[in-house]
Amino acid sequence: MPVPKAEFETFHPATFYRPDELLELDQMYTVYEIARLLQELDPDAELDPESEGVLLDWAIPWIMVNADELLVAEPRADDEPGFYGLAEE
């Protein structure tokens, strides 16, 4: 249900990092690492499952919106996630 703006004390602009501002050209990242980086956390930061789920809710659409600037690598093993990185120009 919508909430009146008057119920909030502070507002922030809805700005997101561009891929080249967030990722290093020579590195590949899991969606979990990207989720942390989008929140200015260390890519290896320990998170409880609920918090990680919330961060993934932000990271997955970010990856989809920025897909033209990214490339994907297959997992190296069956128990490993895929990796994303900057597409080279």
Side-chain angles (χ1 to χ4, degrees):
M1 172 179 273
V3 177
K5 283 184 179 179
E7 291 190 21
F8 299 93
E9 292 180 24
T10 307
F11 298 99
H12 305 280
T15 57
F16 296 94
Y17 290 102
R18 293 189 326 265
D20 63 340
E21 294 174 323
L22 191 69
L23 309 176
E24 299 293 328
L25 186 59
D26 63 343
Q27 300 293 311
M28 297 293 286
Y29 304 83
T30 67
V31 66
Y32 306 101
E33 293 165 336
I34 292 171
R36 287 168 174 78
L37 291 170
L38 285 167
Q39 295 298 317
E40 298 181 0
L41 298 172
D42 185 282
D44 297 324
E46 289 290 324
L47 297 173
D48 62 82
E50 185 176 316
S51 296
E52 187 159 64
V54 171
L55 296 186
L56 287 174
D57 286 346
W58 287 84
I60 293 168
W62 183 89
I63 289 171
M64 294 172 66
V65 166
N66 292 291
D68 291 346
E69 297 179 50
L70 302 172
L71 47 83
V72 179
E74 294 281 334
R76 297 172 293 183
D78 289 340
D79 63 344
E80 186 177 72
F83 287 82
Y84 300 86
L86 288 174
E88 296 189 36
E89 295 181 28

